[in-house]
Amino acid sequence: MLTTRFVTGAPNWLDVGTSDLDGATRFYGGLFGWRFRSAGPDAGGYGFFELDGRIAAGGMQTPEEQGPPSWTVYFQVPDAGAAAENSEQARGGVLLRPVDVMGQGTVAILADRAGVPFGIWQPGQRAGLDVAGETGTLCWVELHTADIAAAAAYYREVLGLETSAVSFPGGSYTCVNPAGEGEEAMFGGLVPLAEDPADTDAGWLPYFAVDDADAVVARTTELGGTVRMPATDIEGVGRVARLADPYGARFAVLKPMPRGA
């Protein structure tokens, strides 16, 4: 599971681009208890979703021409420029060249071989999120993709990620962790689209930890969101549901299985 002990290759930030920032603030506030705080007059409308005063995610209102509302996951890199070059050499792309963000760090948006966008963040004054792995915060990420092998090769070249297969009743799961950090540092997985009827589009899916997945599913519909996969028990993992906010941004929630269960 994710923590704020950020290391190279691990997720250290995420944000949502939405067509209605006020509406998204109401939705995620009602779901996770987040409050929105502007990053200031020079931030172009960007701001932070905070949980008890700690930054749990970022958010901004985006125009229609930038694509549909969605969550973007960012991964820590020591050199954003080098990572962008590596993406192109690994047959991926660069959607936004590295840009300094007011001394806080350097950001870029890349695309993998399948065209899936994701972010990279080279820390400056800010390492990343203030909180992760707790209730109401990011705890896991998954890449849903048509080609597991190609994705694994790309992210190994660009972010240094390592993969390993984990068996469970009925199948196996490809986990990912930062290079040299071992299984204890697993933060996500790679999921074949063909095995997941709930998804038809490739992309990174963020998971937020919750205390009661069923209650969050019910609350999602009350707040105008969509249930893409109802709460389901996954042996050895916990109870999972896949959802979308009222504007179409996709995410998932996880009630983790207690340690030792």
Side-chain angles (χ1 to χ4, degrees), residues 147-249:
D147 191 332
I148 295 289
Y154 171 85
Y155 288 99
R156 182 171 57 250
E157 290 183 50
V158 177
L159 298 177
L161 300 186
E162 299 173 343
T163 59
S164 58
V166 177
S167 298
F168 61 91
S172 63
Y173 185 86
T174 302
C175 288
V176 292
N177 60 268
E181 294 291 323
E183 295 184 0
E184 289 299 315
M186 286 179 180
F187 63 76
L190 309 179
V191 178
L193 284 176
E195 295 181 8
D196 184 10
D199 269 312
T200 57
D201 298 318
W204 281 99
L205 183 71
Y207 279 69
F208 300 99
V210 296
D211 292 328
D212 186 334
D214 295 87
V216 171
V217 167
R219 185 63 175 150
T220 294
T221 58
E222 291 174 3
L223 293 167
T226 303
V227 178
R228 300 177 53 247
M229 185 187 83
T232 304
D233 287 322
I234 299 180
E235 187 172 344
V237 176
R239 194 159 177 80
V240 172
R242 296 196 185 121
L243 311 167
D245 70 22
Y247 313 101

Side-chain angles (χ1 to χ4, degrees), residues 2 11 13-16 28 32 34 56-57 70-75 117 129 137-144 187-189 199 203-209 228 240-244 249-254:
L2 280 168
W13 193 261
L14 85 162
D15 55 30
V16 64
Y28 291 106
F32 299 135
W34 293 353
S70 62
W71 281 97
T72 300
V73 179
Y74 297 74
F75 299 83
L129 300 171
T137 69
L138 184 68
C139 67
W140 192 256
V141 297
E142 278 182 343
L143 174 65
H144 294 233
F187 63 76
D199 269 312
W204 281 99
L205 183 71
Y207 279 69
F208 300 99
R228 300 177 53 247
V240 172
R242 296 196 185 121
L243 311 167
R250 299 178 176 186
F251 64 98
V253 295
L254 167 64

Side-chain angles (χ1 to χ4, degrees), residues 35-55:
R35 293 189 175 186
F36 184 79
R37 174 173 62 86
S38 171
D42 297 327
Y46 195 91
F48 310 116
F49 289 108
E50 296 182 334
L51 182 65
D52 299 327
R54 298 174 297 171
I55 297 174

Side-chain angles (χ1 to χ4, degrees), residues 77-95:
V77 296
D79 186 329
E85 291 181 7
N86 289 342
S87 179
E88 294 176 321
Q89 293 172 1
R91 291 182 284 130
V94 179
L95 304 181

